[in-house]
Amino acid sequence: MANVTNMKVNPPVNRYQEALPKIGIRPIIDGRQEGIRESLEEQTMNMAKAAAKFLSENLRHPNGQPVECVIADTTIGGVKEAAQTAEKFKKEGVGVSISVTPCWCYGSETMDMDPLIPKAVWGFNGTERPGAVYLAAVLAAHAQKGLPAFGIYGHDVQDAKDTTIPKDVQQKLLQFAKAGLAVATMRNKSYLAMGGTSMGIAGSMVNHDFFESYLGMRVEQIDMSEFIRRLNFGIYDHEEFERALAWTKENCKEGKDNNRKPKSREAKDKDWETVVKMTLIARDLMIGNPKLAEMGYLEEAMGKNAIAAGFQGQRQWTDFMPNGDFMEAILNSSFDWNGIREAFIVATENDSLNGVGMLFGHLLTNTAQMFADVRTYWSPEAVKRVTGKELTGLAANGIIHLINSGACTLDATGEQEKDGKPVMKPYWEITPEEAGRCLDATSWRPANTDYFRGGGFSSDFLSKGGMPLTMVRLNLVKGLGPVLQIAEGYSVDLDPEVHDTLDLRTDPTWPTTWFAPILTGEGPFKDVYSVMNNWGANHGAVSFGHIGAELITLASMLRIPVAMHNVSEDRIFRPASWGAFGAMDPQGADYRACAAYGPLYGMK
């Protein structure tokens, strides 16, 4: 059993150089004095305060810190107050803006003109004053000026003195704010490519233009020889290494060795030391480590300000060194020898595009993310032929085998619980006992030396069924640019004999999740085979929860069209101007709008 006696939940820590982005609330008012403006001051400011209170109480950053809201010093009735508010927001580090109003106001004089900040407008649905008229007018101005904005308008009329936020408005405020904060959080961060192209995988041909133009990020790149240098010169915290190695030996149980020529015990013990050191080194490369400065390594202590990273591994590294599975799995998990903490984002095989999908999911849900091969579609007929048994329940229409070389987050075991159901939680909600169960459910199998000649260890577990999941993939298409794919579904339990039979046909030393996408009966979601057949790459990033709607909102902010999804129309929330590109053809409108507006950060 894992020893969780001393495991603690760590306090929130901002790992990066920039301050965390804030939400700016802009109370917009009718500027006409001598009766109109005065009568609306209290109502308008109270609307702003209600929005700020709701958002700050219901949102946290992935590191656990609450999201701060900044309200303009005054209501905004004209261009001078709009400029004053913009200056305040700049000083306060606002990355997302929401304008709120219960009345008619002067649209172009009061609107947010910052082209890089995601923006929404909430027009109060009341009959005393025409908030809806302002909403329509200012959204028209946003469309005309090429500054997309999200429109929020409650379904039901409210009384003027009603300060509550209707449920439908709450949902849109949260959906917009989560996506907007994700955009703001990525800006000015780095993707760290640890190595180069892995086995000809397109996603590991890291595209700097995409990161710069669409995400506002930079790409930092090192050769994998930097790991060798740090291993050879001891450029890591030696006290932490001893503690980490002891924790690993106690909590990471070594599994069965399937290799024809197993390594000696001495060689395996040496591999354990190496993979633990690699974990420390990769983390230090991403975010730095002040301990290295104390050791005299000032440059190395700074890190690369990387919010996501990828490790090439195969084959130049893994042909002679232990693989990166332990390093990737532990970093991608919400706990290690230092306790329970925010998961990192590290992509296997340096698949930067899958790393972006993982990053999107992490920023929207605050949870650890799964990296997987979208490996095999199993039809009910094929399962019956191979096992003699029927697929049932959520798996009845067929399943997709999600499996990769042991680098998946341990959170994906499903050993965390809420209301008696398996879940993946934000780290601050995870108990030491749950972290211990994730460790106990995982076996570390000596790496398959047919794949990994240098050895190492791969995590092996089976995800519990019943978890709502969303699989996402970002692809780059020449002549088109980036496109996103989304598939909501569930992890499923199989009969143990069926699982064993199917699992043994591939590599049993790797973690498995059986995934059943939700079918719509149309297009790519006509059946499970069609989902697999339309998937654009060999990898998928998988997040806990059905977050397809949030991903669509985020993609629209970044001007990335969505190629396929199974999200119902009533959940989709994009900028108001998208309708002008073809309200009767939402997917086509998405492509046309993204092409017309171009990348958020203006470079092609």
Side-chain angles (χ1 to χ4, degrees):
M1 296 289 289
N3 184 357
V4 297
T5 306
N6 297 318
M7 186 172 281
K8 64 182 186 301
V9 179
N10 283 291
V13 174
N14 183 7
R15 297 168 173 166
Y16 311 107
Q17 297 305 306
E18 299 81 9
L20 296 170
K22 301 174 184 177
I23 299 174
I25 309 295
R26 307 173 74 252
I28 312 297
I29 200 167
D30 189 328
R32 290 174 287 190
Q33 301 281 355
E34 299 182 13
I36 295 179
R37 179 166 185 160
E38 294 85 346
S39 69
L40 292 165
E41 286 283 2
E42 183 178 2
Q43 182 186 3
T44 304
M45 191 56 79
N46 283 343
M47 191 175 173
K49 291 176 180 176
K53 182 174 185 293
F54 170 73
L55 291 169
S56 61
E57 288 178 350
N58 287 278
L59 290 174
R60 287 203 200 190
H61 294 285
N63 69 5
Q65 290 183 248
V67 171
E68 292 184 55
C69 292
V70 177
I71 301 176
D73 291 333
T74 66
T75 54
I76 301 169
V79 67
K80 181 178 180 180
E81 289 155 331
Q84 290 172 335
T85 299
E87 184 63 20
K88 177 179 182 177
F89 284 4
K90 184 178 180 181
K91 291 178 180 177
E92 291 277 358
V94 166
V96 183
S97 86
I98 301 176
S99 301
V100 303
T101 187
C103 60
W104 165 255
C105 316
Y106 298 169
S108 63
E109 295 182 23
T110 58
M111 65 190 286
D112 177 358
M113 294 284 286
D114 191 320
L116 300 183
I117 292 182
K119 49 188 64 64
V121 184
W122 172 23
F124 185 79
N125 186 357
T127 56
E128 290 83 358
R129 296 281 182 176
V133 179
Y134 170 74
L135 177 63
V138 79
L139 290 177
H142 277 285
Q144 188 166 323
K145 293 176 182 293
L147 298 169
F150 290 75
I152 300 174
Y153 182 58
H155 186 271
D156 296 316
V157 172
Q158 294 178 260
D159 298 331
K161 293 183 180 180
D162 187 352
T163 58
T164 63
I165 304 178
K167 291 292 185 184
D168 62 326
V169 173
Q170 289 183 11
Q171 189 273 328
K172 287 187 174 180
L173 284 172
L174 288 175
Q175 190 166 324
F176 166 79
K178 286 178 182 178
L181 287 167
V183 170
T185 301
M186 287 186 285
R187 190 178 178 188
N188 295 324
K189 305 297 190 306
S190 302
Y191 175 84
L192 173 60
M194 297 183 287
T197 303
S198 174
M199 301 184 297
I201 293 171
S204 62
M205 302 171 190
V206 184
N207 187 299
H208 291 229
D209 287 345
F210 163 72
F211 278 93
E212 294 165 9
S213 300
Y214 285 88
L215 307 182
M217 293 173 59
R218 68 173 67 215
V219 174
E220 292 291 301
Q221 196 143 6
I222 63 159
D223 190 271
M224 288 183 294
S225 62
E226 177 64 5
F227 278 80
I228 296 290
R229 185 179 78 92
R230 295 194 184 206
L231 287 169
N232 288 349
F233 292 172
I235 308 175
Y236 50 84
D237 184 337
H238 290 251
E239 181 279 325
E240 184 182 1
F241 165 67
E242 295 297 338
R243 181 162 43 85
L245 184 62
W247 181 90
T248 299
K249 287 180 177 179
E250 184 172 20
N251 295 292
C252 298
K253 61 187 178 187
E254 190 175 310
K256 180 182 176 182
D257 192 335
N258 285 7
N259 289 300
R260 296 186 300 274
K261 295 181 180 180
K263 282 191 172 187
S264 68
R265 182 68 262 163
E266 181 182 8
K268 288 178 181 177
D269 289 342
K270 185 65 176 176
D271 281 357
W272 274 118
E273 293 180 9
T274 300
V275 298
V276 170
K277 290 175 184 177
M278 287 169 61
T279 307
L280 299 179
I281 290 168
R283 182 204 60 197
D284 293 349
L285 281 163
M286 289 181 71
I287 64 171
N289 186 347
K291 181 69 175 180
L292 301 185
E294 297 175 19
M295 298 167 60
Y297 296 103
L298 301 180
E299 182 182 359
E300 291 85 347
M302 291 187 285
K304 301 293 186 180
N305 201 37
I307 196 171
F311 182 69
Q312 176 191 332
Q314 297 186 74
R315 287 181 44 207
Q316 286 81 353
W317 180 268
T318 56
D319 273 3
F320 80 109
M321 290 291 290
N323 65 14
D325 288 6
F326 179 83
M327 172 187 74
E328 294 163 8
I330 290 296
L331 289 174
N332 282 327
S333 299
S334 299
F335 43 84
D336 60 18
W337 42 85
N338 291 318
I340 301 171
R341 44 84 178 141
E342 180 188 358
F344 289 83
I345 299 298
V346 184
T348 301
E349 294 156 353
N350 194 28
D351 186 346
S352 63
L353 299 182
N354 218 51
V356 170
M358 295 169 72
L359 180 59
F360 286 176
H362 180 60
L363 295 175
L364 291 171
T365 67
N366 300 337
T367 60
Q369 301 295 298
M370 301 169 60
F371 185 110
D373 273 1
V374 185
R375 188 113 177 159
T376 310
Y377 160 66
W378 279 99
S379 68
E381 296 78 15
V383 172
K384 180 68 179 294
R385 179 182 64 81
V386 169
T387 70
K389 295 191 175 186
E390 304 275 355
L391 291 176
T392 59
L394 291 170
N397 294 312
I399 47 177
I400 294 175
H401 194 177
L402 302 180
I403 182 172
N404 194 263
S405 57
C408 184
T409 173
L410 272 57
D411 298 52
T413 56
E415 293 293 338
Q416 298 162 27
E417 233 177 58
K418 187 172 184 179
D419 300 327
K421 297 178 181 178
V423 298
M424 294 167 63
K425 297 178 178 178
Y427 86 87
W428 58 86
E429 294 180 6
I430 299 172
T431 67
E433 292 73 23
E434 288 173 324
R437 290 202 299 270
C438 292
L439 289 162
D440 288 337
T442 306
S443 172
W444 295 92
R445 306 283 293 274
N448 181 342
T449 52
D450 290 340
Y451 283 102
F452 306 116
R453 297 173 185 173
F457 298 91
S458 299
S459 62
D460 178 24
F461 61 77
L462 174 62
S463 297
K464 284 188 174 181
M467 289 191 288
L469 300 174
T470 302
M471 186 166 70
V472 61
R473 175 67 195 187
L474 181 77
N475 296 300
L476 293 180
V477 180
K478 188 172 182 178
L480 174 62
V483 291
L484 201 66
Q485 297 177 293
I486 300 166
E488 294 184 338
Y490 293 90
S491 63
V492 296
D493 291 320
L494 301 185
D495 178 293
E497 291 184 14
V498 173
H499 163 74
D500 288 342
T501 301
L502 303 187
D503 199 43
L504 287 170
R505 290 174 68 100
T506 178
D507 196 311
T509 68
W510 297 346
T512 280
T513 304
W514 298 108
F515 179 65
I518 297 170
L519 303 177
T520 65
E522 298 178 343
F525 293 93
K526 177 179 62 177
D527 50 35
V528 179
Y529 171 81
S530 297
V531 177
M532 178 79 179
N533 198 39
N534 280 278
W535 206 247
N538 54 310
H539 293 150
V542 186
S543 183
F544 177 80
H546 288 157
I547 62 163
E550 287 83 354
L551 285 163
I552 289 171
T553 297
L554 173 58
S556 68
M557 290 179 180
L558 299 170
R559 322 288 163 71
I560 298 173
V562 179
M564 59 180 269
H565 69 81
N566 55 350
V567 179
S568 60
E569 186 177 350
D570 61 299
R571 295 169 56 206
I572 295 175
F573 188 35
R574 289 182 170 121
S577 59
W578 259 235
F581 290 88
M584 303 300 289
D585 174 22
Q587 186 177 42
D590 183 33
Y591 274 80
R592 290 185 286 272
C594 290
Y597 287 117
L600 178 58
Y601 298 97
M603 297 175 285
K604 286 189 177 180

